[in-house]
Amino acid sequence: MQPGLENMTVIGNELALRWTDQLESYFPFEFLRKRCPCALCAGEKDILGNVYGGTVKLGRQAFS
Ligand SMILES: [Zn+2]
């Protein structure tokens, strides 16, 4: 059985997750921001394979 999410909080510049198996995970905001899968950040393809979006430029404030 996969552990569930027990708690999450922000500590400094990281998102801290505690799982029901008592392990903890820490993800820096920059790590998460650069991996955003939304259409604006990652782009999306139409049925013909044309890609739209994915051209967002991230400034320093995106990581703080
Ligand atoms: Zn995004």
Side-chain angles (χ1 to χ4, degrees):
M1 190 173 100
Q2 283 192 317
L5 181 63
E6 183 175 283
N7 190 26
M8 69 176 165
T9 189
V10 170
I11 299 176
N13 287 341
E14 295 182 324
L15 178 65
L17 306 177
R18 180 195 293 265
W19 304 96
T20 52
D21 61 3
Q22 300 307 303
L23 288 177
E24 296 179 349
S25 305
Y26 299 90
F27 298 100
F29 292 158
E30 185 172 353
F31 173 89
L32 297 171
R33 190 63 185 88
K34 286 181 174 175
R35 286 159 181 78
C36 179
C38 87
L40 192 64
C41 296
E44 65 180 335
K45 280 186 187 173
D46 67 13
I47 195 167
L48 300 176
N50 300 306
V51 178
Y52 302 93
T55 57
V56 173
K57 299 282 188 280
L58 301 176
R60 286 180 61 90
Q61 70 271 22
F63 306 117
S64 57

